[in-house]
Amino acid sequence: MQDMPPSPDAPVADAPSDNWVDLYAPSFARPYLRLSRADRPIGTWLLLLPCWWGLALAILYDQSPRWEDLWIFIGSGIGAFLMRGAGCTWNDITDRNFDAQVARTRSRPIPSGQVSVNGALAWMVIQALLAACILFTFNIAAISLGVLSLLLVTVYPFAKRFTWWPQVFLGLAFNWGALLIWTAHTGSLGAPALLLYGAGIAWTLFYDTIYAHQDTEDDALIGVKSTARLFGDKSPQWLRRFLMVTVGLMGLAVIFSAMPNASALALVIALAGPWAMGWHMAWQLRGLDLNNPGKMLQLFRANRDTGMIPLLFFAGALLA
């Protein structure tokens, strides 16, 4: 007899046990919300925070806050939720055969049979179209950047098949919002946004290498590449390098943002952001246990706070 697909109430293995999808969402919607990783909000935060960094530094740069910035702030939050969902859906469509072979991921909606590939494709399109409605409220330059980002979203799931550095492709995609939202405020790209983008990519290499250490054994068996497999026991040394690059590039982004128009006090407060972020990353390094998947997942999730720290200092600088 053919196995029946799991119930819509069957949770994903690596989702928090108290997530809102499993507790409150209607049964018919749960598989699709799980497909979007709505039961694991950390990814939305990691996509959103570079957007808010970009907005804060753009306002610091031109000293011209506007009511429109409130919509950019809110819209980027909604857009990050939708595009993270669309990207995760696309990732699960392309990785469905890999996911079925990995203990941590075989309970996801597609390999477990809760959602068909066609259903997932339709769900991805719906999310992307809703995100586009938000993007089209921004200026033309920001819209162009948003459309261009689709290339990165499309390519990322395949990166692990041809490079040991798929985390670079994730960083390129996940931190694009720093460029887009800077441009949504200022109307054009600038050097501070590019430096901030580089800092975000280095940060992504840091946290996603930690994340990838959960699956090194399974990845080796099925031939999936990652920086965690590439670095192996040398990961702590590489993570320190990513920490230094993150702090250095973000510090430069702050300086180039503040120097034209901001006060000396605002510059000092804003520079404290990457400094404090670096200390939080160093705290993660002290807790590394490469052979403990649970600990690595815990440290990965701590990066929401890591990314929130500089944002708080940037907000303080705007008030200085």
Side-chain angles (χ1 to χ4, degrees), residues 12-249:
V12 175
D14 59 349
S17 59
D18 59 348
N19 73 82
W20 72 273
V21 173
D22 292 348
L23 292 177
Y24 305 115
S27 295
F28 73 88
R30 287 175 190 162
Y32 293 94
L33 292 171
R34 290 169 183 148
L35 197 59
S36 299
R37 309 286 199 277
D39 54 347
R40 283 158 286 172
I42 178 61
T44 299
W45 282 110
L46 297 175
L47 184 63
L48 173 60
L49 286 167
C51 299
W52 285 351
W53 296 345
L55 179 60
L57 291 190
I59 297 172
L60 187 68
Y61 176 77
D62 65 13
Q63 295 290 297
S64 298
R66 303 183 295 270
W67 280 110
E68 179 188 356
D69 293 328
L70 180 59
W71 166 243
I72 294 175
F73 180 86
I74 296 171
S76 59
I78 301 171
F81 176 81
L82 291 168
M83 281 309 297
R84 190 259 182 146
C88 287
T89 303
W90 172 240
N91 185 80
D92 280 11
I93 291 169
T94 59
D95 281 1
R96 59 190 184 277
N97 294 326
F98 287 144
D99 287 346
Q101 301 177 62
V102 176
R104 186 177 61 83
T105 59
R106 65 170 58 107
S107 59
R108 287 179 177 175
I110 296 177
S112 67
Q114 296 181 49
V115 177
S116 68
V117 173
N118 288 338
L121 283 169
W123 179 235
M124 178 187 71
V125 170
I126 290 170
Q127 293 172 97
L129 289 175
L130 290 173
C133 292
I134 295 172
L135 177 65
F136 291 154
T137 66
F138 297 158
N139 58 48
I140 294 298
I143 293 172
S144 299
L145 284 171
V147 173
L148 189 60
S149 71
L150 294 177
L151 293 175
L152 295 170
V153 174
T154 301
V155 170
Y156 165 66
F158 301 100
K160 65 176 81 64
R161 294 161 168 83
F162 62 81
T163 178
W164 287 100
W165 294 81
Q167 280 71 23
V168 171
F169 287 84
L170 180 66
L172 290 169
F174 254 55
N175 295 281
W176 195 260
L179 304 179
L180 193 156
I181 299 303
W182 171 284
T183 304
H185 174 84
T186 64
S188 62
L189 274 177
L194 294 171
L195 289 165
L196 188 64
Y197 184 49
I201 293 170
W203 179 44
T204 302
L205 280 162
F206 179 90
Y207 66 66
D208 206 57
T209 297
I210 291 174
Y211 183 82
H213 266 283
Q214 298 176 87
D215 300 324
T216 50
E217 292 184 4
D218 286 331
D219 287 349
L221 289 173
I222 61 180
V224 169
K225 298 178 174 67
S226 72
T227 50
R229 287 190 62 207
L230 178 65
F231 303 153
D233 292 339
K234 295 181 180 179
S235 286
Q237 295 95 305
W238 280 96
L239 292 174
R240 289 188 191 95
R241 293 167 188 162
F242 298 145
L243 184 162
M244 291 186 289
V245 174
T246 300
V247 173
L249 289 179

